[in-house]
Amino acid sequence: MEPWLNHSTLGDFILLGIFSHTQTDLVLFSAVLVVFTVALAGNILLLFLIYCDAQLHTPMYFFLSHLSLMDLSLICTIVPKMADSFISERKSISFIGCGLQIGFFATLVGSEGLLLGLMAYDRYVAINRPLRYHVIMSQQVCHQIVGSSWVFGTLDGIIQVVGAMSFPYCGSREVDHFFCEMLALLKLACADTSLYDTLNYVCCVFMLFFPFSIIVASYAKILRAVINMNSTQARQKALTTCSSHLAAVSLFYGAAMFTYLRPKRYRAPAHDKIVSLFYTVLTPMLNPLIYSLRNREVMKALRKRLSHWVTGCQK
C-alpha cells in the first residue's frame, strides 16, 4: 500500500475560514449570523404559508417551496460549521465530513441553479400563455421540473464528491476557505487533477449556462409580451413579478459564474471566499424576502394566519 493512501483517508482538514478575531471581522461575523437567522425564519415561514394556504397551491408557489427548501438546506450545510469554527476555534473537519459538505453543497447549488432557470419558463408561460397556463403547467409537468432539478443537482454532487475525495492529500491539510469547497480542496491534492478539472468545468458550464440560456430566452419573450400589453396595470404586475425573479437570478448566477467559470489564473482565495458568501448566505436570505414582501398573495396569506393566531389567543 502506498504511504500517501493512509494520509489521504485519515486525519482532518483544517478550514482557515474567512474571518479573523479583529473588531471589524467580529462585526462582519455578527452580520452573517443575523443574515443566517433571517434566512432560517424567512424560508421556514414561506414553506409554512405555502403548505397551509390553499390559495398558494399553484405551480409558481410549488417551485418557490422547493427553492426555499434548497436555500434552507444550503445555509444549514455551510453556516453552522463556519460559526462553530470561528467561535470555538476548532477549525478541523473530518475527511468524511468534508466529503459530505462538498456533496451537499454541489447538489443544492446545482439543483437551485436549474430550478431558477426552469422557473423563468414558468413565468414565460404565465405571461405569454395565460389562458393555457394551468394546462401547460400541469401537476405532472411541475413535478417533472422539480424532479429534474433535484436529479441533475444530485448527479453533479456525486461527481464532485467522488472525484474530489478520491485524490490523495499527503501534504498540507489547510483548506483556504470557510467550508470544504471543491476548488480550494483540490489545490491540496498531491496528484495531477487536470482531467478532473476539465470534467468539473464541463459540468459547471452545463449546470450554469443551460438554465441561464433558458432564462435569457424566456425573458426576451416576456419583455416583448409586456411591451405589447395594452393595460398599464397588467404591465406593472408582470414587471413586478419578473423583476423579483431576475433579482434573485442575477445575484445567484453572477456569483456562481464568477467563482466557477473564470480562468484559473484569475482566481484568488480571498475573492472566492467573499463571492461564496453571496450564494451560500445572502441569496438564501433574499429569496424569501423578495418573493414574499413583493407578492400580494403571500402577504395576504401571512395576514390571514396572523389574524387567526391573534383570534385564537384572544379566546
Side-chain angles (χ1 to χ4, degrees):
M1 182 179 291
E2 294 291 340
W4 52 257
L5 188 56
N6 288 331
H7 291 287
S8 69
T9 55
L10 297 176
D12 297 343
F13 290 104
I14 305 299
L15 300 175
L16 296 183
I18 188 173
F19 300 121
S20 61
H21 286 273
T22 63
Q23 187 172 1
T24 301
D25 279 358
L26 285 172
V27 172
L28 292 174
F29 174 72
S30 300
V32 169
L33 290 186
V34 171
V35 170
F36 172 70
T37 304
V38 173
L40 277 180
N43 283 291
I44 290 173
L45 178 61
L46 190 56
L47 281 168
F48 172 76
L49 292 175
I50 292 173
Y51 176 78
C52 293
D53 198 297
Q55 298 296 320
L56 301 182
H57 293 175
T58 64
M60 184 179 81
Y61 294 107
F62 176 69
F63 298 142
L64 284 179
S65 67
H66 280 269
L67 184 65
S68 285
L69 182 60
M70 292 171 185
D71 281 336
L72 197 60
S73 302
L74 178 61
I75 200 168
C76 288
T77 298
I78 303 299
V79 177
K81 176 58 184 174
M82 179 183 73
D84 177 68
S85 296
F86 181 81
I87 295 172
S88 67
E89 298 190 15
R90 292 192 301 266
K91 297 180 179 296
S92 63
I93 183 171
S94 68
F95 185 86
I96 294 176
C98 187
L100 288 173
Q101 201 171 53
I102 289 175
F104 281 122
F105 169 78
T107 295
L108 294 165
V109 170
S111 298
E112 182 165 337
L114 287 170
L115 184 60
L116 285 171
L118 294 170
M119 282 172 66
Y121 174 74
D122 170 70
R123 292 300 83 209
Y124 158 73
V125 175
I127 292 172
N128 288 55
R129 302 286 187 272
L131 299 179
R132 290 181 50 80
Y133 176 70
H134 289 287
V135 176
I136 297 173
M137 300 303 295
S138 64
Q139 188 176 30
Q140 182 181 3
V141 170
C142 291
H143 281 94
Q144 288 173 346
I145 287 175
V146 169
S148 63
S149 298
W150 281 109
V151 167
F152 281 107
T154 301
L155 288 174
D156 184 44
I158 291 172
I159 290 172
Q160 290 205 23
V161 73
V162 170
M165 306 313 288
S166 63
F167 287 107
Y169 296 95
C170 48
S172 172
R173 313 284 289 191
E174 295 183 343
V175 181
D176 196 2
H177 218 293
F178 58 88
F179 68 99
C180 258
E181 198 268 341
M182 182 266 303
L183 295 179
L185 186 66
L186 286 180
K187 293 178 181 178
L188 307 180
C190 46
D192 182 15
T193 64
S194 56
L195 181 60
Y196 177 73
D197 288 338
T198 302
L199 175 62
N200 183 66
Y201 187 82
V202 171
C203 287
C204 289
V205 168
F206 172 76
M207 299 296 288
L208 291 174
F209 273 117
F210 173 66
F212 187 71
S213 64
I214 296 176
I215 292 171
V216 172
S218 297
Y219 275 100
K221 294 184 178 181
I222 287 172
L223 183 60
R224 183 168 47 182
V226 169
I227 291 173
N228 293 330
M229 286 180 176
N230 296 322
S231 170
T232 303
Q233 185 177 2
R235 187 185 302 118
Q236 185 176 2
K237 182 179 179 181
L239 287 174
T240 300
T241 302
C242 294
S243 62
S244 299
H245 186 246
L246 279 175
V249 163
S250 299
L251 185 61
F252 179 87
Y253 279 97
M257 287 181 176
F258 178 84
T259 300
Y260 292 103
L261 298 184
R262 76 188 194 275
K264 185 181 292 187
R265 64 179 178 275
Y266 295 121
R267 293 174 185 165
H271 296 161
D272 287 342
K273 287 189 281 189
I274 292 171
V275 173
S276 293
L277 286 173
F278 282 90
Y279 55 83
T280 58
V281 181
L282 192 59
T283 299
M285 181 200 72
L286 290 178
N287 279 342
L289 296 180
I290 289 172
Y291 289 118
S292 60
L293 295 179
R294 302 192 64 183
N295 193 297
R296 293 179 182 177
E297 288 87 354
V298 174
M299 295 307 294
K300 182 180 177 181
L302 178 59
R303 285 193 294 268
K304 185 165 68 175
R305 289 292 153 188
L306 289 174
S307 176
H308 288 170
W309 181 75
V310 171
T311 303
C313 288
Q314 289 175 347
K315 291 180 180 180

